[in-house]
Amino acid sequence: MRSTFRNFVATMETINGENRRQGRIEVVCGSMFSGKTEELIRRLRRAQFARQRVEIFKPAIDTRYSEEDVVSHDQKHIRSTPVDSSASILLLSSDIDVVGIDEAQFLDQGLVDVCNELANRGVRVIIAGLDMDFRGQPFGPMPAICAIADDVTKVHAICVKCGSLAYVSHRTVADERRVLLGETQEYEPLCRHCYQIALEEEKQRKNA
């Protein structure tokens, strides 16, 4: 009887794929203040609780809250390794079950191949990042990563003007650089309609 039960469990594990590592790419994307990093940390914490080997990375340029930790807007944090390039992630991810990457939009296009390589090795890759920049344009490697991902979760902030679901991170300061680290003093989440109104108001101020 016990032998039959063990065989049944083994069969179910095989069906569910639980007896071997399942490589996959998960993406959490959206505008600023939408909870991307919070969701990334939640998934990584669960993996740590399950005693999986977890390694977390973030772009070295992101020092807003901490030089080393990944920190959400509500101050949840998790230890990470800052990197200057996506190639470093591949080098530092040997014998790892789960890789987390925050603010992926700031990394280079090589991140796409890195994520594929890790997933093909059997690593679960969880990525958080902005899908669009402040102009509403696809940002860095994020569009390509969304295309190859096994699962994409788009989270939304709330538009500060009307309370609808936000569409984009609107920059409120006069700076045309694509990469400008900032928070509520430099950005606000807006829905598509309120974003178009904001753009028209900025155009009128420039022409005044």
Side-chain angles (χ1 to χ4, degrees), residues 179-199:
V179 176
L180 174 66
L181 297 176
E183 295 299 327
T184 54
Q185 293 80 14
E186 293 83 18
Y187 294 95
E188 61 181 3
L190 296 179
C191 69
R192 185 185 291 269
H193 176 69
C194 292
Y195 178 58
Q196 294 303 315
I197 293 175
L199 291 181

PDB file of all heavy atoms in Angstrom, residues 179-199:
ATOM      1  N   VAL A 179      17.029  59.158 -18.723  1.00  0.00           N
ATOM      2  CA  VAL A 179      17.220  58.574 -17.395  1.00  0.00           C
ATOM      3  C   VAL A 179      17.393  59.696 -16.389  1.00  0.00           C
ATOM      4  O   VAL A 179      18.378  60.426 -16.416  1.00  0.00           O
ATOM      5  CB  VAL A 179      18.441  57.634 -17.363  1.00  0.00           C
ATOM      6  CG1 VAL A 179      18.678  57.117 -15.950  1.00  0.00           C
ATOM      7  CG2 VAL A 179      18.247  56.472 -18.334  1.00  0.00           C
ATOM      8  N   LEU A 180      16.418  59.838 -15.535  1.00  0.00           N
ATOM      9  CA  LEU A 180      16.474  60.818 -14.451  1.00  0.00           C
ATOM     10  C   LEU A 180      15.876  60.144 -13.222  1.00  0.00           C
ATOM     11  O   LEU A 180      14.662  59.961 -13.129  1.00  0.00           O
ATOM     12  CB  LEU A 180      15.682  62.081 -14.799  1.00  0.00           C
ATOM     13  CG  LEU A 180      15.567  63.118 -13.666  1.00  0.00           C
ATOM     14  CD1 LEU A 180      16.937  63.708 -13.333  1.00  0.00           C
ATOM     15  CD2 LEU A 180      14.577  64.214 -14.045  1.00  0.00           C
ATOM     16  N   LEU A 181      16.747  59.753 -12.287  1.00  0.00           N
ATOM     17  CA  LEU A 181      16.267  59.109 -11.075  1.00  0.00           C
ATOM     18  C   LEU A 181      15.468  60.108 -10.265  1.00  0.00           C
ATOM     19  O   LEU A 181      15.890  61.248 -10.068  1.00  0.00           O
ATOM     20  CB  LEU A 181      17.446  58.583 -10.251  1.00  0.00           C
ATOM     21  CG  LEU A 181      18.291  57.491 -10.919  1.00  0.00           C
ATOM     22  CD1 LEU A 181      19.484  57.142 -10.042  1.00  0.00           C
ATOM     23  CD2 LEU A 181      17.452  56.257 -11.203  1.00  0.00           C
ATOM     24  N   GLY A 182      14.316  59.699  -9.787  1.00  0.00           N
ATOM     25  CA  GLY A 182      13.490  60.615  -9.029  1.00  0.00           C
ATOM     26  C   GLY A 182      12.326  59.912  -8.367  1.00  0.00           C
ATOM     27  O   GLY A 182      12.111  58.714  -8.526  1.00  0.00           O
ATOM     28  N   GLU A 183      11.557  60.696  -7.639  1.00  0.00           N
ATOM     29  CA  GLU A 183      10.390  60.197  -6.923  1.00  0.00           C
ATOM     30  C   GLU A 183       9.215  61.134  -7.174  1.00  0.00           C
ATOM     31  O   GLU A 183       9.049  61.645  -8.263  1.00  0.00           O
ATOM     32  CB  GLU A 183      10.718  60.084  -5.423  1.00  0.00           C
ATOM     33  CG  GLU A 183      11.806  59.051  -5.109  1.00  0.00           C
ATOM     34  CD  GLU A 183      11.421  57.653  -5.522  1.00  0.00           C
ATOM     35  OE1 GLU A 183      10.221  57.297  -5.462  1.00  0.00           O
ATOM     36  OE2 GLU A 183      12.315  56.887  -5.924  1.00  0.00           O
ATOM     37  N   THR A 184       8.421  61.394  -6.135  1.00  0.00           N
ATOM     38  CA  THR A 184       7.218  62.198  -6.305  1.00  0.00           C
ATOM     39  C   THR A 184       7.520  63.659  -6.621  1.00  0.00           C
ATOM     40  O   THR A 184       6.647  64.373  -7.112  1.00  0.00           O
ATOM     41  CB  THR A 184       6.350  62.132  -5.031  1.00  0.00           C
ATOM     42  OG1 THR A 184       7.150  62.502  -3.903  1.00  0.00           O
ATOM     43  CG2 THR A 184       5.809  60.734  -4.825  1.00  0.00           C
ATOM     44  N   GLN A 185       8.750  64.105  -6.353  1.00  0.00           N
ATOM     45  CA  GLN A 185       9.099  65.476  -6.701  1.00  0.00           C
ATOM     46  C   GLN A 185       9.338  65.639  -8.196  1.00  0.00           C
ATOM     47  O   GLN A 185       9.244  66.741  -8.734  1.00  0.00           O
ATOM     48  CB  GLN A 185      10.367  65.922  -5.950  1.00  0.00           C
ATOM     49  CG  GLN A 185      10.203  66.058  -4.446  1.00  0.00           C
ATOM     50  CD  GLN A 185      10.278  64.722  -3.729  1.00  0.00           C
ATOM     51  OE1 GLN A 185      10.712  63.725  -4.319  1.00  0.00           O
ATOM     52  NE2 GLN A 185       9.880  64.696  -2.485  1.00  0.00           N
ATOM     53  N   GLU A 186       9.670  64.547  -8.873  1.00  0.00           N
ATOM     54  CA  GLU A 186       9.998  64.606 -10.302  1.00  0.00           C
ATOM     55  C   GLU A 186       8.974  63.908 -11.198  1.00  0.00           C
ATOM     56  O   GLU A 186       8.940  64.162 -12.406  1.00  0.00           O
ATOM     57  CB  GLU A 186      11.366  63.974 -10.552  1.00  0.00           C
ATOM     58  CG  GLU A 186      12.542  64.725  -9.950  1.00  0.00           C
ATOM     59  CD  GLU A 186      12.756  64.401  -8.476  1.00  0.00           C
ATOM     60  OE1 GLU A 186      12.218  63.357  -8.012  1.00  0.00           O
ATOM     61  OE2 GLU A 186      13.434  65.170  -7.784  1.00  0.00           O
ATOM     62  N   TYR A 187       8.160  63.027 -10.641  1.00  0.00           N
ATOM     63  CA  TYR A 187       7.232  62.244 -11.461  1.00  0.00           C
ATOM     64  C   TYR A 187       5.858  62.162 -10.809  1.00  0.00           C
ATOM     65  O   TYR A 187       5.730  62.238  -9.585  1.00  0.00           O
ATOM     66  CB  TYR A 187       7.769  60.823 -11.660  1.00  0.00           C
ATOM     67  CG  TYR A 187       9.043  60.744 -12.465  1.00  0.00           C
ATOM     68  CD1 TYR A 187      10.277  60.708 -11.824  1.00  0.00           C
ATOM     69  CD2 TYR A 187       9.014  60.689 -13.858  1.00  0.00           C
ATOM     70  CE1 TYR A 187      11.465  60.627 -12.551  1.00  0.00           C
ATOM     71  CE2 TYR A 187      10.195  60.613 -14.590  1.00  0.00           C
ATOM     72  CZ  TYR A 187      11.407  60.582 -13.926  1.00  0.00           C
ATOM     73  OH  TYR A 187      12.575  60.510 -14.652  1.00  0.00           O
ATOM     74  N   GLU A 188       4.859  61.957 -11.653  1.00  0.00           N
ATOM     75  CA  GLU A 188       3.511  61.697 -11.172  1.00  0.00           C
ATOM     76  C   GLU A 188       2.845  60.693 -12.114  1.00  0.00           C
ATOM     77  O   GLU A 188       3.039  60.759 -13.330  1.00  0.00           O
ATOM     78  CB  GLU A 188       2.687  62.990 -11.117  1.00  0.00           C
ATOM     79  CG  GLU A 188       2.514  63.667 -12.466  1.00  0.00           C
ATOM     80  CD  GLU A 188       1.722  64.962 -12.382  1.00  0.00           C
ATOM     81  OE1 GLU A 188       1.361  65.354 -11.262  1.00  0.00           O
ATOM     82  OE2 GLU A 188       1.471  65.571 -13.454  1.00  0.00           O
ATOM     83  N   PRO A 189       2.086  59.750 -11.582  1.00  0.00           N
ATOM     84  CA  PRO A 189       1.380  58.800 -12.447  1.00  0.00           C
ATOM     85  C   PRO A 189       0.106  59.440 -13.000  1.00  0.00           C
ATOM     86  O   PRO A 189      -0.675  60.032 -12.248  1.00  0.00           O
ATOM     87  CB  PRO A 189       1.058  57.636 -11.499  1.00  0.00           C
ATOM     88  CG  PRO A 189       1.002  58.255 -10.138  1.00  0.00           C
ATOM     89  CD  PRO A 189       1.952  59.411 -10.157  1.00  0.00           C
ATOM     90  N   LEU A 190      -0.070  59.339 -14.320  1.00  0.00           N
ATOM     91  CA  LEU A 190      -1.256  59.903 -14.974  1.00  0.00           C
ATOM     92  C   LEU A 190      -1.912  58.862 -15.870  1.00  0.00           C
ATOM     93  O   LEU A 190      -1.237  58.022 -16.465  1.00  0.00           O
ATOM     94  CB  LEU A 190      -0.889  61.124 -15.817  1.00  0.00           C
ATOM     95  CG  LEU A 190      -0.324  62.359 -15.106  1.00  0.00           C
ATOM     96  CD1 LEU A 190      -0.022  63.436 -16.134  1.00  0.00           C
ATOM     97  CD2 LEU A 190      -1.273  62.868 -14.033  1.00  0.00           C
ATOM     98  N   CYS A 191      -3.237  58.939 -15.993  1.00  0.00           N
ATOM     99  CA  CYS A 191      -3.938  58.115 -16.974  1.00  0.00           C
ATOM    100  C   CYS A 191      -3.677  58.690 -18.367  1.00  0.00           C
ATOM    101  O   CYS A 191      -3.111  59.778 -18.504  1.00  0.00           O
ATOM    102  CB  CYS A 191      -5.436  58.073 -16.667  1.00  0.00           C
ATOM    103  SG  CYS A 191      -6.280  59.658 -16.947  1.00  0.00           S
ATOM    104  N   ARG A 192      -4.100  57.983 -19.374  1.00  0.00           N
ATOM    105  CA  ARG A 192      -3.835  58.434 -20.746  1.00  0.00           C
ATOM    106  C   ARG A 192      -4.474  59.806 -21.021  1.00  0.00           C
ATOM    107  O   ARG A 192      -3.842  60.679 -21.631  1.00  0.00           O
ATOM    108  CB  ARG A 192      -4.364  57.398 -21.742  1.00  0.00           C
ATOM    109  CG  ARG A 192      -4.026  57.706 -23.194  1.00  0.00           C
ATOM    110  CD  ARG A 192      -4.683  56.691 -24.115  1.00  0.00           C
ATOM    111  NE  ARG A 192      -4.092  55.372 -23.978  1.00  0.00           N
ATOM    112  CZ  ARG A 192      -3.068  54.926 -24.711  1.00  0.00           C
ATOM    113  NH1 ARG A 192      -2.519  55.718 -25.628  1.00  0.00           N
ATOM    114  NH2 ARG A 192      -2.601  53.698 -24.550  1.00  0.00           N
ATOM    115  N   HIS A 193      -5.707  59.991 -20.568  1.00  0.00           N
ATOM    116  CA  HIS A 193      -6.411  61.251 -20.827  1.00  0.00           C
ATOM    117  C   HIS A 193      -5.723  62.423 -20.133  1.00  0.00           C
ATOM    118  O   HIS A 193      -5.456  63.462 -20.758  1.00  0.00           O
ATOM    119  CB  HIS A 193      -7.862  61.137 -20.352  1.00  0.00           C
ATOM    120  CG  HIS A 193      -8.643  62.405 -20.474  1.00  0.00           C
ATOM    121  ND1 HIS A 193      -9.001  62.935 -21.698  1.00  0.00           N
ATOM    122  CD2 HIS A 193      -9.127  63.266 -19.529  1.00  0.00           C
ATOM    123  CE1 HIS A 193      -9.669  64.052 -21.515  1.00  0.00           C
ATOM    124  NE2 HIS A 193      -9.759  64.283 -20.214  1.00  0.00           N
ATOM    125  N   CYS A 194      -5.404  62.258 -18.855  1.00  0.00           N
ATOM    126  CA  CYS A 194      -4.763  63.350 -18.108  1.00  0.00           C
ATOM    127  C   CYS A 194      -3.349  63.606 -18.605  1.00  0.00           C
ATOM    128  O   CYS A 194      -2.861  64.744 -18.556  1.00  0.00           O
ATOM    129  CB  CYS A 194      -4.759  63.033 -16.614  1.00  0.00           C
ATOM    130  SG  CYS A 194      -6.413  63.051 -15.863  1.00  0.00           S
ATOM    131  N   TYR A 195      -2.705  62.570 -19.123  1.00  0.00           N
ATOM    132  CA  TYR A 195      -1.361  62.737 -19.678  1.00  0.00           C
ATOM    133  C   TYR A 195      -1.412  63.613 -20.923  1.00  0.00           C
ATOM    134  O   TYR A 195      -0.570  64.504 -21.107  1.00  0.00           O
ATOM    135  CB  TYR A 195      -0.766  61.374 -19.998  1.00  0.00           C
ATOM    136  CG  TYR A 195       0.604  61.415 -20.625  1.00  0.00           C
ATOM    137  CD1 TYR A 195       1.670  62.043 -19.979  1.00  0.00           C
ATOM    138  CD2 TYR A 195       0.844  60.811 -21.856  1.00  0.00           C
ATOM    139  CE1 TYR A 195       2.941  62.068 -20.554  1.00  0.00           C
ATOM    140  CE2 TYR A 195       2.100  60.830 -22.433  1.00  0.00           C
ATOM    141  CZ  TYR A 195       3.140  61.457 -21.781  1.00  0.00           C
ATOM    142  OH  TYR A 195       4.399  61.488 -22.353  1.00  0.00           O
ATOM    143  N   GLN A 196      -2.405  63.393 -21.779  1.00  0.00           N
ATOM    144  CA  GLN A 196      -2.543  64.219 -22.978  1.00  0.00           C
ATOM    145  C   GLN A 196      -2.830  65.671 -22.616  1.00  0.00           C
ATOM    146  O   GLN A 196      -2.319  66.598 -23.258  1.00  0.00           O
ATOM    147  CB  GLN A 196      -3.666  63.664 -23.867  1.00  0.00           C
ATOM    148  CG  GLN A 196      -3.391  62.293 -24.452  1.00  0.00           C
ATOM    149  CD  GLN A 196      -2.114  62.252 -25.271  1.00  0.00           C
ATOM    150  OE1 GLN A 196      -1.866  63.151 -26.090  1.00  0.00           O
ATOM    151  NE2 GLN A 196      -1.300  61.228 -25.066  1.00  0.00           N
ATOM    152  N   ILE A 197      -3.626  65.888 -21.579  1.00  0.00           N
ATOM    153  CA  ILE A 197      -3.896  67.253 -21.122  1.00  0.00           C
ATOM    154  C   ILE A 197      -2.614  67.903 -20.613  1.00  0.00           C
ATOM    155  O   ILE A 197      -2.325  69.070 -20.920  1.00  0.00           O
ATOM    156  CB  ILE A 197      -4.964  67.242 -20.007  1.00  0.00           C
ATOM    157  CG1 ILE A 197      -6.310  66.795 -20.583  1.00  0.00           C
ATOM    158  CG2 ILE A 197      -5.071  68.615 -19.353  1.00  0.00           C
ATOM    159  CD1 ILE A 197      -7.400  66.640 -19.536  1.00  0.00           C
ATOM    160  N   ALA A 198      -1.817  67.146 -19.849  1.00  0.00           N
ATOM    161  CA  ALA A 198      -0.559  67.678 -19.318  1.00  0.00           C
ATOM    162  C   ALA A 198       0.402  68.048 -20.439  1.00  0.00           C
ATOM    163  O   ALA A 198       1.076  69.087 -20.385  1.00  0.00           O
ATOM    164  CB  ALA A 198       0.080  66.653 -18.382  1.00  0.00           C
ATOM    165  N   LEU A 199       0.471  67.221 -21.482  1.00  0.00           N
ATOM    166  CA  LEU A 199       1.348  67.510 -22.618  1.00  0.00           C
ATOM    167  C   LEU A 199       0.911  68.785 -23.335  1.00  0.00           C
ATOM    168  O   LEU A 199       1.743  69.600 -23.750  1.00  0.00           O
ATOM    169  CB  LEU A 199       1.359  66.332 -23.596  1.00  0.00           C
ATOM    170  CG  LEU A 199       2.025  65.042 -23.118  1.00  0.00           C
ATOM    171  CD1 LEU A 199       1.956  63.986 -24.218  1.00  0.00           C
ATOM    172  CD2 LEU A 199       3.469  65.288 -22.712  1.00  0.00           C
TER     173      LEU A 199
END
